[in-house]
Amino acid sequence: MIARHFGIGLAIVFIASYALAQGMADKGGTDKRRSGTQDMGGVLQKMQDDDTANPGMLFVQLGGELWGKASGASGKSCADCHGSVASMKGVAARYPAIPKGADAPVDLEGRIDLCRTANQRAGSLTSESRELLALTAYVAHQSRGFPITPPDDPRLAPFRARGEKLWQARQGQLNLSCAICHDDNAGKKLAGVTIPEAHPTGYPIYRLEWQTLGSLKRRLRNCLAGIRAEPYAYDAPEYVMLDLFLMDRARGMMLESPGVRP
Amino acid sequence: MANVLVNAPKTAKRGSIVEIKALILHPMETGFRPGPNGRIIPRNIIERFTATWNGTEIFDMEMSPAIAANPFVSFFAVASESGTVGLRWTGDEGFVVEERVAIAVE
């Protein structure tokens, strides 16, 4: 009798620990995707993790000031309509998305600029301007630690599919596709740099080479120039399509904005 | 508008060594780049960073081109008395930023 009970007890413990191991495997074990952060040296990882050493946090701080500043003909600040920035928690994790009344997706920068022009009735902020980057960093920072969760909107599917096509297409004088580097050769070295898997987890990023904060768009323009393709115009829809595809490919990974990159 | 991040301990034991870290946002311009009109854009960098402890200078650094756009400086000081650490950045085009942090020494 005792032996039998003991046997059942063991079986239950085994099942419980098996289930636990499965749960953990789904979080870290079977998911082999790597954020660009994991491919950086320890010094840069520390810099990213320390909020008083991560230069991206200077832009988050600036974004906080802009959040409360009235602008445009409306005389309203972001805070006047949105209240505390805590209302932006999780927002960056589900962009690009299609704004109400529109039929094409915008990225987070685009959404912020929409509020700027339509709601604040102020001038559009140019790509990579300090103001737009700071506001984007401030909003994105609210989603740090949130898993990427693209919206279920079926209208996004054709845009995402076009993004994937761009990802697979060879282009530029070097005749390379994004996939050749970031799918087939990720983890290998390119002129001393580890080729990352290209997950958009840290954007906007403070890139030491740039000595400033930059958007995903700027990063993509760098990769396009790197294969000697002509980067799409700043307002081209291709960036949003690639962003949609990349966010879907990174579904479930944690946002870490503002990231630091070499 | 100046944006600064300072990392210093709020309290320290008398005689102990504390690390103070300071990061500042600055619109760095190297002085080597031509602008849209072809003329060189004037240099605009931070030239000097100094730190004081209750008014006495404890750290002084001269900066030159090619250090960093948004320099991050870390230095050490001996905590001898409670007081205020003053940080001051000065540079081209009349750039002056001052920041203070209090450290209680016990």
Side-chain angles (χ1 to χ4, degrees), chain B residues 90-101:
Chain B
T90 51
D92 294 329
E93 300 185 9
F95 185 81
V96 183
V97 169
E98 285 177 320
E99 188 76 19
R100 289 157 184 284
V101 285

Side-chain angles (χ1 to χ4, degrees), chain A:
Chain A
M1 239 358 222
I2 288 171
R4 212 212 229 142
H5 274 136
F6 186 61
I8 291 168
L10 259 189
I12 290 169
V13 170
F14 177 71
I15 290 165
S17 57
Y18 179 74
L20 195 70
Q22 284 289 300
M24 276 159 58
D26 287 339
K27 279 216 180 84
T30 53
D31 191 347
K32 295 273 188 277
R33 292 175 301 177
R34 291 168 65 80
S35 151
T37 303
Q38 292 163 274
D39 291 326
M40 307 193 298
V43 174
L44 288 185
Q45 290 181 1
K46 264 199 187 145
M47 187 193 260
Q48 175 171 305
D49 291 343
D50 178 350
D51 281 350
T52 57
N54 179 340
M57 291 306 291
L58 291 168
F59 290 81
V60 171
Q61 194 183 56
L62 178 62
E65 288 162 20
L66 296 171
W67 181 262
K69 199 178 123 197
S71 292
S74 73
K76 287 206 162 113
S77 70
C78 317
D80 286 335
C81 290
H82 293 290
S84 153
V85 73
S87 63
M88 291 288 147
K89 279 194 188 304
V91 169
R94 52 180 169 75
Y95 268 74
I98 300 179
K100 239 179 225 155
D103 44 21
V106 293
D107 53 19
L108 188 57
E109 282 90 342
R111 172 66 248 192
I112 290 172
D113 199 44
L114 209 59
C115 269
R116 175 90 188 162
T117 52
N119 289 328
Q120 286 187 315
R121 282 178 280 132
S124 172
L125 294 171
T126 49
S127 279
E128 305 305 311
S129 64
R130 180 166 279 202
E131 255 185 312
L132 185 56
L133 287 169
L135 283 167
T136 309
Y138 188 56
V139 170
H141 182 241
Q142 302 307 312
S143 298
R144 198 194 245 180
F146 279 63
I148 292 177
T149 46
D152 293 329
D153 188 346
R155 295 173 302 164
L156 288 172
F159 295 98
R160 191 177 289 132
R162 282 184 63 193
E164 180 164 14
K165 259 209 176 119
L166 293 169
W167 177 261
Q168 299 290 354
R170 286 177 179 269
Q171 56 177 325
Q173 286 179 325
L174 299 189
N175 200 28
L176 289 169
S177 70
C178 319
I180 290 174
C181 281
H182 294 297
D183 283 335
D184 305 345
N185 288 294
K188 293 189 195 154
K189 295 277 183 194
L190 180 74
V193 179
T194 304
I195 302 177
E197 292 178 10
H199 297 300
T201 44
Y203 287 79
I205 55 162
Y206 190 92
R207 192 164 183 231
L208 298 179
E209 188 185 310
W210 296 335
Q211 288 286 297
T212 185
L213 204 71
S215 67
L216 179 65
K217 191 182 281 184
R218 182 166 183 191
R219 175 63 258 182
L220 300 186
R221 291 177 69 84
N222 272 202
C223 278
L224 288 164
I227 53 177
R228 298 195 205 146
E230 190 179 342
Y232 316 114
Y234 270 103
D235 56 356
E238 277 84 352
Y239 296 113
V240 180
M241 294 170 187
L242 278 167
D243 193 357
L244 273 170
F245 168 71
L246 289 174
M247 287 294 268
D248 191 51
R249 187 168 162 271
R251 186 184 286 270
M253 295 179 79
M254 300 296 169
L255 279 187
E256 5 176 79
S257 320
V260 171
R261 294 290 181 270

Side-chain angles (χ1 to χ4, degrees), chain B residues 22-104:
Chain B
L23 180 62
I24 186 166
L25 187 69
H26 184 268
M28 185 267 290
E29 192 52 67
T30 60
F32 299 113
R33 290 198 311 164
N37 61 1
R39 278 204 215 110
I40 295 291
I41 307 172
R43 190 187 85 165
N44 181 9
I45 66 166
I46 298 175
E47 290 176 303
R48 195 166 207 97
F49 170 71
T50 50
T52 52
W53 193 306
N54 283 345
T56 308
E57 188 171 294
I58 54 166
F59 186 83
D60 181 23
M61 177 181 179
E62 211 174 289
M63 300 203 196
S64 51
I67 288 187
N70 307 298
F72 176 67
V73 180
S74 155
F75 59 96
F76 296 89
V78 178
S80 45
E81 57 183 26
S82 291
T84 307
V85 174
L87 306 168
R88 183 180 160 92
W89 293 260
T90 51
D92 294 329
E93 300 185 9
F95 185 81
V96 183
V97 169
E98 285 177 320
E99 188 76 19
R100 289 157 184 284
V101 285
I103 299 184

